[in-house]
Amino acid sequence: MNNIIEHYRGEHAATKDRLPGAGLDWLDTSRDAALTIFGEKGFPARGMEDWKYTNVRPIEKRPFRLARETASDAAIDTRLCGDMACHRIVFVDGRYSRHLSEPGNPSAPITVKDLHTALLEDADTLEAHLGKIADVSRNGFSALNMALMNDGACISIADNAVPERPIHLMFLSSGKEEITSQTRILVMAGAGSQATIIESYHSATGNVYFNNITTEIRVAADASVEHYKLQHESNKAFHIATLHVEQARDSTFTSFSVSMGAQLARNDINIWMNDEGANCDLYGLYMADGRQHTDFHTRIDHASPHCNSREIYKGILDGHARAVFNGQVHIHPDAQKSAAEQTNNNLLLSRNAEVDTKPQLEIHADDVTASHGATIGQLDDNMIFYLRSRGLDYHTAHALLVYGFAHDIVEKMTIEPLRHHLQATLAGRIPGLDRPHELASGG
Amino acid sequence: MLEIKDLHVSVDGKEILKGLNLSVDAGQVHAIMGPNGAGKSTLSYVLSGREGYHVTDGSVTYKGRDLLAMETDERACEGIFLAFQYPVEIPGVNSSYFLKAAVNARRRYRGEPEMNAMEFMKLTKEKMQVVEMKQELLARSVNEGFSGGEKKRNEIFQMAVLEPELTILDETDSGLDIDALRIVAGGVNALRNEQRSMIVVTHYQRLLDYIRPDHVHVLADGIIVKSGDEKLALELEEKGYSWLEKSA
Amino acid sequence: MSADNQEVRELAQKEYEHGFVTDIQADTLPPGLDEDVIRAISAKKNEPQWMLEWRLDAYEKWLKMTPPQWPHLRIQPIDYQAISYYSAPRQGDGPKSLDEVDPKLLETYNKLGIPLEEQKMLAGVTDMAVDAVFDSVSVKTTFTRQLEEAGVIFCSISEAMHKHPALVQQYLGTVVPKTDNYYAALNCAVFTDGSFVYIPKGTRCPMELSTYFRINAQNTGQFERTLIIADEGSHVSYLEGCTAPIRDENQLHAAVVELVAMENAEIKYSTVQNWYPGDETGKGGIYNFVTKRAECRGDHSRVSWTQVETGSSITWKYPSCVLKGDNSVGEFYSVALSSLAQQADTGTKMIHLGRNTSSTIVSKGISAMKGQNAYRGLVQVNKNAENARNYTQCDSLLLGDTCGAHTFPYMEVKNPTARVEHEATTSRIGEDQLFYCRQRGISEEDAVSMIVNGFCKEVFRELPMEFAVEAQKLLSVSLEGAVG
């Protein structure tokens, strides 16, 4: 463990003069403090209840380094929602790529800036908001992100603004080995505003790299934010991400999180409903095969009365894959009239796959309705029989039902190009499907 | 039997009944009609003692006693029965057990011996016929999985078993088809006599073809704006409520 | 106020009705724990050498262990040197004929409604054999002769060690290993008594077996050990009941129960736990840290745990089933009430190892006043457990806004043919439900008890008839004063 701490201390020392906001006292102090915390904690050990099923030791075995310059030879694969009308900011190996980005002129009511620019132009705003929702001492990854954050985005939406197009943050890997990106995203949605944010992570090659992402989203009163996260990393990549959301009165937050790539993906989603009338919906889909490991830890805090939350996560596991789902709902004292619903369904397609699921409810108020349900199993024999009795062969019937199981999440997405993109991706991952778009016509 | 004087009631700080007067004698059937939001259900709840309905002024005298000073269950034991607009489901609690507990609560209150299982069976069997209710419903949990019509019939069945002196029917007709309505009304009529009084709260005149009232009152915006006999109900059916609101 | 209300209020003031102390001459070891204490316990019980060595080994291991930190409980640190590890009413050695049992003890059990005189067993009620454990020792086992005729062994575990040493040695510690957890290890070192049951092949035990545990002495821990073996094709239904006097300090109860079900055998184990719960400020009460586990060792075996937990200031227990045999079945039905300042972290573990194994979990948690109730359950399906099935239903009911209900299910599945389902709900007694009952003339207290009993119905119907009635009454009394 000491080696790994020394290694990242070294990265900090070597790059600190060039990191975003270098020279800002408050930020330098925060980075130093975070580095100290990282030194104390290191990466989480499996003895910790939150890391019981996920072993992060492999990340320690490689000397990941921050990219020193922006790769210029990267290109966008247009299949990756390249045809979607949006404000697109592109990062390669964790660094902002001016020539690939198409910010599309975001004007007054919204600003989208890379972290360097934001810290140069709006240092005061960032000082007030950066790191205020995320807890730097949560674990070693949070601390490391604060200490080393080397790029990212800052999105601000003015009160009552309703941008027509989604804002897309696209993260690409150039194929270089052993790069780490310490990405920080900050979203501030003003009162009554309405915005759609997409974070997507892609790699065309099978290279090894380590993405450590912290996203903070503040949803002001009566605002509505839809957040999409698509994770299609290289199947040798490590992806650790934490999303923190704080919701004000009567606000709405919707999250779609799709995890498909990576050797090890760990996604933490923390929603804090701070005031009455807030509403949040979390949808998740994870697919893993080979030796992939995917882990979702979600936590929803009903800190005020009259808030609603709904969560549906679905997983499909094949090969030697392993999935972990841990969903916590905390209803605080006095958070009366809370309503919380959580569902986690898993399909195990292989003898060697494993699912560990732990839905949790902690309830400290009495006038609430809360429920959770979880299932682990395989496809319903009756459904397969029904399809076969209509003439489909076993494999097609099977594929169709697996597709349907996953599509249940995809069809809830409101952005059409994204939906199509995912339908195609699903079809590619499920053998035996011929014409997925026809299948999906209902959605 | 029942004397309501200048009754003011608030719910969540909002005044719903604004000085209601009503007098019901033994043996009489009074129909209370009115548009949605007039305060009809509030009247039902305040008479049966539901929490959250605050009497800010006025008085209610029942059989010579201050009704408002009595607890909900005490009122029930004194013979007040509310047939709920939306009967409540109680999972895991057997209907027959529930009803027997209610019968014996009344008996204990009056100092009478409790009814044993045999007597109770006999009584329920007899009363179920009145509302054409299936015996098997008694074996299920209270109102759980009952259809809308079954729930309403169950209310009237309970009323038949408990033999109340003052019955309040809160929108008992809503959601019933004509056959169910006839059965429910038949059950109610079978209980009418010189001693029993009834308040029939309804939005529609239809029910009053079957349960014929002695008096009809129109409740609008928290007070009774017009009283009359059966003919008033027909008039309302024809013209709606708006002409009354305007004149009031 | 109606006569009815009057009665209820009197009941409410009655509080914990088993809180009396029996003034009896006791033979008690001074507080403290070291090897000599363990040697003393073993000597008092005149144990064979292997047993002493077993205990000392467990003690050595315990010293290196730490208490579990994961439960959702706030536990004051326990001073293990302040506890006395042995207390026995002075009456010579071991249980004997009824005439020789101290009349004060008989009176105690009569007061608790547990008659030890066989002829006093209620007519019409299934015969029930009782083993009565008072503090550290068994004072009397009833109906032993009738059971002997059927070939059933039912006696205290101390007696079994002498009369059936081979059986004890063969099975003891094979379901719950010494190092299973901190409290189990402690139990292995210092356990004093408990019940032993052996049902021979093909035998259906002719009556319900029951152990009644009573903690009486002050500053005493109770560490009993129960071992039940159901041999091939046998069947037994076993009940345990527990009470303790009202004392200001916390008392530790760290028991271990091991069940072994061989091929086609069936064990039904029911518990009505009513240890003193402490007061509403959290003062006093029993720390109930219990390890209960069953192994369905043979094919087609079946174990069912039913528990009604209303007492103890802190409950930490997870009666579990290891489903080793093919087609074996494990069941767990639980009602846990946390009122006053009680805390409970309880649930079960179902470990599926064999093929076609199935398990059912029904947990009903009720929280009132300042009670904190957590369900924690593990369903594990291992690689070779083809066609394993689990269904879990976990409901919580909240009364009042100062209590808490928590659910921590763990599902670990390593076999694709498994079907594991978990459902959980949390709700409170609806104001509309209470109003509906009261409008029909039923008092609030009766209505609450009626709704709570309805909520627990699926568990109560698993209990033997007479205990179901007992459990319902217990629940109603425990809820008095918790509503309003």
Side-chain angles (χ1 to χ4, degrees):
Chain A
M1 190 169 109
N2 286 329
N3 287 343
I4 197 74
I5 289 164
E6 281 316 311
H7 169 71
Y8 286 109
R9 278 199 184 126
E11 280 297 286
H12 178 254
T15 58
K16 67 176 179 188
D17 297 338
R18 282 174 291 157
L19 289 174
L24 290 169
D25 279 351
W26 62 270
L27 190 58
D28 289 344
T29 312
S30 299
R31 286 184 188 272
D32 290 344
L35 200 62
T36 307
I37 296 170
F38 176 69
E40 286 158 7
K41 291 189 186 265
F43 289 149
R46 280 185 89 172
M48 298 164 72
E49 183 71 14
D50 271 354
W51 296 85
K52 187 177 157 121
Y53 299 113
T54 295
N55 182 9
V56 298
R57 293 288 80 84
I59 307 179
E60 291 182 358
K61 290 195 182 129
R62 300 241 184 190
F64 292 107
R65 302 177 69 229
L66 293 171
R68 299 296 197 265
E69 61 222 14
T70 307
S72 52
D73 52 346
I76 296 177
D77 182 341
T78 47
R79 282 174 302 168
L80 311 174
C81 21
D83 55 345
M84 187 167 62
C86 60
H87 305 288
R88 182 173 296 119
I89 308 293
V90 180
F91 299 82
V92 179
D93 293 337
R95 294 178 65 110
Y96 173 56
S97 165
R98 194 173 301 274
H99 88 272
L100 290 176
S101 298
E102 298 170 62
N105 251 345
S107 53
I110 62 165
T111 60
V112 182
K113 292 176 183 174
D114 65 281
L115 200 60
H116 274 279
T117 311
L119 280 163
L120 280 175
E121 295 175 359
D122 315 311
D124 292 348
T125 314
L126 265 76
E127 183 178 1
H129 291 104
L130 193 73
K132 290 298 176 327
I133 313 178
D135 173 11
V136 67
S137 59
R138 177 183 165 80
N139 60 43
F141 292 116
S142 308
L144 186 64
N145 181 278
M146 186 71 206
L148 290 185
M149 57 185 183
N150 64 329
D151 213 333
C154 180
I155 299 168
S156 160
I157 297 141
D159 290 357
N160 301 311
V162 183
E164 269 172 43
R165 286 177 283 165
I167 297 153
H168 184 185
L169 308 176
M170 189 180 228
F171 296 84
L172 306 175
S173 163
S174 68
K176 281 202 198 89
E177 295 288 339
E178 296 188 338
I179 294 289
T180 181
S181 308
Q182 302 288 331
T183 303
R184 175 66 72 138
I185 299 164
L186 177 64
V187 178
M188 289 167 290
S193 68
Q194 203 175 313
T196 302
I197 319 274
I198 305 164
E199 275 179 56
S200 68
Y201 297 84
H202 313 265
S203 169
T205 63
N207 54 332
V208 182
Y209 55 93
F210 164 36
N211 276 348
N212 182 25
I213 304 129
T214 299
T215 303
E216 295 177 277
I217 302 181
R218 193 179 288 279
V219 190
D222 210 27
S224 170
V225 171
E226 226 175 70
H227 178 260
Y228 291 82
K229 178 168 176 217
L230 309 184
Q231 187 269 104
H232 295 280
E233 304 277 26
S234 136
N235 60 13
K236 285 195 185 142
F238 299 97
H239 182 97
I240 308 280
T242 309
L243 168 65
H244 296 272
V245 180
E246 195 174 292
Q247 290 189 249
R249 197 182 188 91
D250 299 321
S251 63
T252 300
F253 179 77
T254 307
S255 151
F256 287 94
S257 194
V258 178
S259 175
M260 299 222 187
Q263 172 184 162
L264 188 160
R266 163 72 178 238
N267 278 282
D268 284 31
I269 296 177
N270 297 297
I271 311 288
W272 185 274
M273 292 195 279
N274 209 15
D275 210 340
E276 294 189 16
N279 191 69
C280 86
D281 293 277
L282 307 184
Y283 300 103
L285 176 64
Y286 44 94
M287 284 181 89
D289 58 18
R291 298 215 168 254
Q292 289 185 314
H293 182 109
T294 171
D295 179 347
F296 273 97
H297 268 60
T298 69
R299 175 174 171 142
I300 301 172
D301 278 90
H302 286 250
S304 283
H306 294 280
C307 293
N308 296 317
S309 69
R310 191 160 62 129
E311 180 171 11
I312 304 175
Y313 267 71
K314 290 193 158 197
I316 301 171
L317 285 304
D318 209 339
H320 285 76
R322 185 166 183 187
V324 180
F325 174 80
N326 187 104
Q328 299 184 49
V329 175
H330 287 245
I331 299 184
H332 292 221
D334 305 324
Q336 302 295 2
K337 307 279 180 197
S338 293
E341 248 181 81
Q342 183 191 71
T343 311
N344 172 233
N345 303 122
N346 297 280
L347 273 186
L348 267 183
L349 300 179
S350 133
R351 299 213 61 82
N352 298 307
E354 176 174 348
V355 171
D356 300 298
T357 172
K358 190 182 168 204
Q360 300 175 54
L361 289 172
E362 268 201 55
I363 296 172
H364 294 277
D366 71 329
D367 191 2
V368 302
T369 53
S371 65
H372 66 211
T375 61
I376 303 172
Q378 35 344 116
L379 294 170
D380 187 336
D381 290 339
N382 287 326
M383 288 194 212
I384 292 188
F385 173 71
Y386 182 77
L387 292 179
R388 295 183 73 186
S389 76
R390 295 295 177 268
L392 274 72
D393 66 83
Y394 177 83
H395 290 287
T396 310
H398 192 268
L400 199 58
L401 290 173
V402 172
Y403 182 87
F405 177 86
H407 194 252
D408 194 29
I409 298 291
V410 175
E411 71 183 1
K412 293 186 168 67
M413 299 181 172
T414 53
I415 304 176
E416 204 184 337
L418 213 56
R419 225 165 40 224
H420 289 320
H421 165 65
L422 278 164
Q423 284 159 353
T425 311
L426 279 182
R429 297 269 310 229
I430 304 167
L433 281 179
D434 299 336
R435 289 181 293 271
H437 287 286
E438 277 174 38
L439 288 172
S441 59
Chain B
M1 166 156 312
L2 184 74
E3 191 74 43
I4 304 175
K5 280 192 184 147
D6 191 31
L7 187 64
H8 291 257
V9 176
S10 312
V11 181
D12 289 333
K14 192 176 171 236
E15 188 165 63
I16 306 289
L17 296 184
K18 302 172 179 171
L20 185 131
N21 292 291
L22 181 68
S23 173
V24 179
D25 286 341
Q28 288 182 342
V29 173
H30 289 243
I32 310 264
M33 301 184 68
N36 289 327
K40 301 195 298 290
S41 283
T42 299
L43 178 62
S44 305
Y45 287 142
V46 81
L47 291 180
S48 48
R50 186 165 197 158
E51 272 174 47
Y53 292 78
H54 302 289
V55 176
T56 51
D57 208 353
S59 68
V60 182
T61 315
Y62 171 68
K63 296 199 291 191
R65 288 178 61 192
D66 177 6
L67 182 73
L68 301 176
M70 294 189 225
E71 289 287 316
T72 305
D73 37 322
E74 195 183 353
R75 296 182 199 195
C77 289
E78 282 286 350
I80 291 183
F81 182 89
L82 171 65
F84 284 60
Q85 182 179 4
Y86 304 109
V88 179
E89 298 187 4
I90 310 176
V93 175
N94 175 282
S95 292
S96 136
Y97 179 84
F98 167 81
L99 191 55
K100 187 159 167 251
V103 167
N104 283 330
R106 267 178 179 65
R107 290 184 155 237
R108 277 199 304 274
Y109 182 82
R110 296 198 206 113
E112 295 166 9
E114 293 191 17
M115 200 174 247
N116 66 32
M118 288 298 282
E119 292 167 321
F120 180 72
M121 283 258 288
K122 199 169 151 250
L123 175 71
T124 52
K125 222 170 176 172
E126 174 193 320
K127 300 292 185 184
M128 287 196 105
Q129 284 163 4
V130 180
V131 287
E132 300 177 28
M133 209 168 92
K134 280 175 274 172
Q135 189 81 28
E136 72 211 40
L137 289 185
L138 263 186
R140 303 226 303 252
S141 292
V142 179
N143 291 321
E144 203 184 33
F146 286 31
S147 70
E150 281 171 341
K151 280 184 185 169
K152 293 293 174 78
R153 263 193 255 180
N154 192 30
E155 292 294 288
I156 303 306
F157 163 66
Q158 289 180 16
M159 168 189 163
V161 170
L162 296 172
E163 302 189 323
E165 288 161 79
L166 174 65
T167 299
I168 305 152
L169 300 171
D170 188 5
E171 309 252 359
T172 299
D173 52 332
S174 62
L176 290 183
D177 63 32
I178 202 75
D179 287 335
L181 186 67
R182 203 178 298 134
I183 293 165
V184 162
V188 173
N189 287 329
L191 271 139
R192 279 178 81 160
N193 70 19
E194 298 295 297
Q195 280 80 47
R196 296 209 176 99
S197 313
M198 293 183 191
I199 296 173
V200 181
V201 175
T202 181
H203 190 70
Y204 306 104
Q205 186 272 337
R206 179 176 81 140
L207 177 69
L208 305 180
D209 286 341
Y210 298 95
I211 304 172
R212 306 194 51 181
D214 302 301
H215 300 275
V216 174
H217 312 275
V218 179
L219 183 61
D221 196 25
I223 52 166
I224 285 174
V225 292
K226 199 169 173 68
S227 298
D229 59 12
E230 275 185 274
K231 279 183 232 135
L232 177 59
L234 289 167
E235 204 173 337
L236 283 169
E237 181 74 4
E238 202 176 302
K239 296 187 186 168
Y241 291 106
S242 50
W243 63 279
L244 271 171
E245 279 167 33
K246 269 172 214 144
S247 66
Chain C
M1 199 197 303
S2 71
D4 207 28
N5 276 343
Q6 184 78 50
E7 202 176 295
V8 163
R9 250 149 250 197
E10 278 166 18
L11 243 181
Q13 280 147 14
K14 205 157 99 181
E15 290 180 357
Y16 187 70
E17 64 171 330
H18 305 305
F20 61 90
V21 178
T22 306
D23 179 19
I24 193 160
Q25 284 272 344
D27 178 6
T28 304
L29 278 180
L33 180 59
D34 55 25
E35 273 195 30
D36 290 342
V37 168
I38 292 163
R39 284 177 201 282
I41 292 170
S42 193
K44 273 187 190 294
K45 306 184 82 66
N46 199 16
E47 284 176 354
Q49 184 64 25
W50 67 265
M51 195 63 237
L52 173 63
E53 281 162 18
W54 198 82
R55 287 176 181 275
L56 291 172
D57 177 47
Y59 177 65
E60 203 179 303
K61 289 181 164 128
W62 176 73
L63 287 173
K64 295 186 194 118
M65 296 171 77
T66 49
Q69 295 302 316
W70 43 262
H72 198 275
L73 299 170
R74 257 178 237 159
I75 307 172
Q76 295 297 322
I78 299 167
D79 181 358
Y80 291 92
Q81 296 305 332
I83 298 171
S84 164
Y85 289 83
Y86 186 85
S87 174
R90 211 164 268 165
Q91 56 158 359
D93 352 287
K96 40 185 74 183
S97 86
L98 199 62
D99 309 339
E100 290 171 54
V101 175
D102 190 317
K104 273 188 183 157
L105 280 178
L106 289 183
E107 197 192 310
T108 300
Y109 283 93
N110 277 333
K111 245 173 159 173
L112 295 168
I114 315 288
L116 297 182
E117 296 98 323
E118 293 176 4
Q119 70 278 15
K120 276 202 183 161
M121 286 302 191
L122 296 170
V125 172
T126 333
D127 280 347
M128 186 179 6
V130 179
D131 183 18
V133 176
F134 193 85
D135 290 334
S136 303
V137 296
S138 167
V139 290
K140 171 80 183 120
T141 308
T142 63
F143 285 104
T144 37
R145 187 160 314 136
Q146 286 88 328
L147 291 169
E148 265 166 35
E149 280 165 20
V152 172
I153 304 170
F154 178 40
C155 61
S156 72
I157 200 151
S158 314
E159 197 182 339
M161 236 173 273
H162 294 111
K163 289 192 180 160
H164 313 281
L167 276 176
V168 176
Q169 201 168 1
Q170 186 185 344
Y171 290 100
L172 190 72
T174 61
V175 181
V176 178
K178 277 180 237 175
T179 51
D180 188 79
N181 66 72
Y182 187 76
Y183 305 112
L186 177 62
N187 175 285
C188 290
V190 303
F191 78 88
T192 44
D193 219 333
S195 299
F196 176 82
V197 176
Y198 174 78
I199 316 288
K201 281 184 189 174
T203 305
R204 201 179 170 86
C205 186
M207 60 185 80
E208 304 268 352
L209 302 183
S210 161
T211 300
Y212 197 85
F213 296 102
R214 170 83 181 160
I215 296 179
N216 187 65
Q218 206 160 359
N219 299 327
T220 310
Q222 181 155 331
F223 304 93
E224 85 267 2
R225 183 122 197 154
T226 297
L227 176 58
I228 299 178
I229 302 137
D231 217 326
E232 288 171 24
S234 69
H235 176 283
V236 63
S237 169
Y238 181 91
L239 298 154
E240 64 169 2
C242 330
T243 59
I246 295 175
R247 303 229 184 248
D248 280 350
E249 47 309 309
N250 297 112
Q251 282 177 286
L252 178 62
H253 172 248
V256 172
V257 175
E258 297 178 283
L259 313 183
V260 180
M262 307 305 281
E263 197 174 324
N264 286 310
E266 186 175 342
I267 303 175
K268 213 172 148 48
Y269 193 107
S270 314
T271 305
V272 176
Q273 184 265 107
N274 185 26
W275 296 119
Y276 174 55
D279 67 9
E280 69 279 5
T281 64
K283 194 164 155 199
I286 301 291
Y287 284 175
N288 192 33
F289 300 161
V290 174
T291 307
K292 289 180 168 180
R293 192 171 308 151
E295 200 170 285
C296 286
R297 220 167 263 191
D299 295 350
H300 301 280
S301 55
R302 185 185 194 104
V303 169
S304 166
W305 297 102
T306 306
Q307 59 170 26
V308 177
E309 304 270 325
T310 60
S312 300
S313 65
I314 301 180
T315 298
W316 177 93
K317 74 180 255 203
Y318 316 89
S320 307
C321 296
V322 179
L323 304 169
K324 234 181 211 172
D326 291 349
N327 302 296
S328 59
V329 178
E331 293 170 319
F332 175 76
Y333 299 95
S334 169
V335 167
L337 168 75
S338 298
S339 187
L340 303 161
Q342 287 174 275
Q343 308 173 60
D345 191 306
T346 183
T348 183
K349 290 192 260 186
M350 293 290 174
I351 312 292
H352 293 253
L353 298 171
R355 296 163 161 267
N356 304 316
T357 47
S358 70
S359 60
T360 304
I361 299 171
V362 177
S363 163
K364 304 279 182 176
I366 303 155
S367 311
M369 298 174 85
K370 282 188 245 154
Q372 293 290 332
N373 204 328
Y375 166 81
R376 188 182 303 276
L378 168 69
V379 175
Q380 193 179 68
V381 177
N382 287 279
K383 228 173 184 61
N384 299 318
E386 295 293 300
N387 297 313
R389 298 285 177 266
N390 164 267
Y391 174 72
T392 302
Q393 185 194 332
C394 181
D395 299 320
S396 307
L397 191 64
L398 293 149
L399 298 148
D401 55 9
T402 51
C403 55
H406 319 294
T407 321
F408 307 102
Y410 298 63
M411 279 163 273
E412 303 175 358
V413 179
K414 295 188 173 81
N415 183 305
T417 60
R419 282 184 200 275
V420 175
E421 269 178 79
H422 173 98
E423 282 174 40
T425 63
T426 302
S427 55
R428 65 167 191 167
I429 293 187
E431 180 269 334
D432 54 342
Q433 291 177 331
L434 276 181
F435 175 62
Y436 190 73
C437 292
R438 294 186 69 197
Q439 210 300 307
R440 296 299 181 255
I442 299 163
S443 70
E444 182 163 358
E445 285 84 353
D446 287 351
V448 168
S449 127
M450 194 186 271
I451 294 167
V452 169
N453 276 306
F455 173 77
C456 300
K457 206 174 205 169
E458 289 144 291
V459 175
F460 287 159
R461 72 168 172 234
E462 295 297 322
L463 284 171
M465 209 6 210
E466 56 270 38
F467 270 70
V469 175
E470 194 59 33
Q472 286 188 30
K473 266 198 256 164
L474 190 58
L475 204 57
S476 302
V477 172
S478 306
L479 278 171
E480 300 297 355
V483 185

